[in-house]
Amino acid sequence: MKIFNFNKVYYLVILALIVAVVFVLNENDLFNKQQVNKVEIYEDLLDIVYGSPDAGLTVFFYSSYNCSFCREFFKNVFPELKRNFIDNGKLKFVVKPITLTNNEAVINSLKIAVCINKHGNFEKLNELLLTEPNVIYTNEFANVIDELVEEDMYLEECMYGGESENYLFRNLAMFKSLGLTGTPSFIINNKIYKGYMEYDKFKKVIEKELKYILH
Amino acid sequence: MKKLRFLFLIIMALSVALVSCEDDDDKETCDSEDLGDDFNCPVNVDAIATFCSDGENASYYTFNGNDYMCTGVDVSTCDNALNQIGAALIEAGCGSKKKSVDIEDVKVELTALAERLLAEVRTESLYN
């Protein structure tokens, strides 16, 4: 009685080899359609930062409240990202707000956002701007900015002393120098990832980049 | 015959492997465009529209919180969407036919949620 069929074993070995090769190619992104240019990017003092400074990996996120996919990312992807990667110290998430417009209301909304992030509690304002982005065009919003600025001299200095305005200019200059044209855009491990990603896709990218750092 | 079987097996294995590795994730990308010059907008009007495409389904623009659908993937199929955005911009003071309006005139209906959040921003944004 023949115990081993040599041909079958041979085929199985070949098959396993092929699957292994394809798996390795995929892991190394040779099949990945979305990619990437190598770039240099730095954290700025007014960036909106989530996570530990000691995190192994940093994600830079160019975002605008005008951009519906940025808001979508903050509402649907960021909470899971925070729970699974940021809160446990694996990931630092750096938001770089930008605007491509000279609209005073838009610029003021970003200035107050970065200033409140530095000198106060950003979460409520962030929630408002994500939920009702058009609120920035109302007198009511302008009044709130005035009241907050009146109450806090550091906020006032940040808002009207040039700090936040210069920061937005720097952000836009960096954004353009990277060759970016739209939001949302992510820079991870000095690689550019353009466009919105669902959580599962984003998770894969983060896990791949974390693995890359560890090796 | 054995060679044929072997070749068939290899092709099958490769097909299965390639199909299983195909990227089936969200491929949509978006780019923001400033339409201010195109629509002759005053500098105080926000004319940023965002074009989004996944390369397969109809693309669309988002502007001022609304989606404007194109008829195909390519940006050349977005005339109707751009016309609608243009109409919104003209209403906001862009275009040569209408005089500019102050951005303060472009108001939004505040929802109850926005009112609540504004109140919370007012009271909870500063620590002191």
Side-chain angles (χ1 to χ4, degrees):
Chain A
M1 195 173 107
K2 200 173 179 181
I3 297 173
F4 293 111
N5 181 332
F6 178 76
N7 280 343
K8 276 185 185 169
V9 173
Y10 183 68
Y11 290 154
L12 280 173
V13 169
I14 294 287
L15 186 65
L17 276 173
I18 290 168
V19 170
V21 167
V22 169
F23 179 76
V24 169
L25 288 173
N26 188 49
E27 281 292 294
N28 285 296
D29 249 2
L30 297 179
F31 289 145
N32 200 336
K33 292 166 193 164
Q34 181 176 25
Q35 276 296 356
V36 291
N37 304 310
K38 287 268 183 183
V39 294
E40 295 266 333
I41 188 168
Y42 305 98
E43 197 176 319
D44 198 300
L45 275 176
L46 282 182
D47 285 341
I48 297 164
V49 181
Y50 297 87
S52 164
D54 302 323
L57 182 67
T58 300
V59 171
F60 292 93
F61 175 39
Y62 280 106
S63 174
S64 161
Y65 289 108
N66 292 338
C67 148
S68 59
F69 281 91
C70 301
R71 298 197 301 271
E72 194 75 11
F73 180 85
F74 257 116
K75 286 179 198 167
N76 297 333
V77 180
F78 185 74
E80 286 208 66
L81 200 64
K82 188 167 183 301
R83 195 163 42 246
N84 297 326
F85 291 97
I86 297 173
D87 289 347
N88 58 20
K90 289 181 185 169
L91 184 71
K92 182 167 66 166
F93 194 83
V94 179
V95 182
K96 287 182 172 287
I98 61 155
T99 175
L100 301 172
T101 173
N102 291 324
N103 184 300
E104 195 183 345
V106 175
I107 291 173
N108 279 342
S109 70
L110 293 184
K111 282 166 68 178
I112 193 71
V114 296
C115 290
I116 282 192
N117 179 61
K118 187 177 178 189
H119 297 291
N121 173 19
F122 173 61
E123 289 315 307
K124 286 296 172 188
L125 180 60
N126 190 37
E127 190 183 348
L128 171 68
L129 296 176
L130 291 173
T131 312
E132 293 285 346
N134 286 339
V135 75
I136 64 172
Y137 301 111
T138 62
N139 284 330
E140 187 67 2
F141 185 75
N143 291 341
V144 169
I145 292 180
D146 289 344
E147 286 171 29
L148 292 173
V149 164
E150 266 178 34
E151 275 183 48
D152 188 305
M153 59 181 284
Y154 296 109
L155 196 62
E156 183 180 21
E157 174 63 22
C158 176
M159 212 30 212
Y160 299 121
E163 186 184 4
S164 55
E165 197 154 7
N166 291 337
Y167 165 74
L168 293 177
F169 284 138
R170 283 199 301 278
N171 267 4
L172 187 58
M174 174 72 89
F175 178 80
K176 286 182 173 169
S177 75
L178 294 173
L180 298 172
T181 54
T183 52
S185 292
F186 303 88
I187 317 287
I188 310 170
N189 267 350
N190 297 332
K191 295 174 208 156
I192 293 172
Y193 292 84
K194 290 181 183 176
Y196 176 79
M197 287 184 263
E198 296 284 357
Y199 176 70
D200 288 345
K201 169 85 176 178
F202 207 86
K203 181 170 174 259
K204 276 186 200 170
V205 170
I206 297 298
E207 284 172 343
K208 187 189 72 183
E209 295 296 352
L210 279 169
K211 204 187 294 177
Y212 177 81
I213 281 181
L214 290 173
H215 290 128
Chain B
M1 189 61 191
K2 274 185 180 175
K3 275 184 184 173
L4 268 177
R5 274 172 57 198
F6 181 66
L7 196 63
F8 175 72
L9 197 65
I10 297 262
I11 289 167
M12 285 298 288
L14 266 176
S15 307
V16 169
L18 281 171
V19 166
S20 67
C21 289
E22 193 169 318
D23 187 359
D24 58 354
D25 294 312
D26 192 339
K27 292 174 285 184
E28 185 169 74
T29 56
C30 299
D31 275 332
S32 297
E33 290 181 38
D34 191 342
L35 301 175
D37 286 341
D38 294 344
F39 288 93
N40 193 25
C41 290
V43 290
N44 64 339
V45 171
D46 181 12
I48 301 295
T50 305
F51 173 76
C52 295
S53 173
D54 66 1
E56 291 172 4
N57 301 305
S59 304
Y60 60 95
Y61 273 93
T62 60
F63 174 71
N64 209 17
N66 297 316
D67 290 347
Y68 297 90
M69 295 303 296
C70 307
T71 53
V73 171
D74 194 79
V75 72
S76 65
T77 65
C78 302
D79 280 355
N80 194 36
L82 283 170
N83 285 339
Q84 290 175 51
I85 294 170
L89 284 169
I90 285 168
E91 209 168 293
C94 304
S96 54
K97 290 180 181 173
K98 289 195 172 186
K99 64 173 187 175
S100 301
V101 292
D102 191 275
I103 194 69
E104 286 302 316
D105 293 335
V106 186
K107 296 190 176 178
V108 290
E109 279 291 318
L110 284 182
T111 63
L113 177 61
E115 293 283 9
R116 180 178 65 76
L117 287 170
L118 262 172
E120 287 176 356
V121 167
R122 193 175 250 128
T123 56
E124 295 178 33
S125 291
L126 293 178
Y127 294 128
N128 53 357

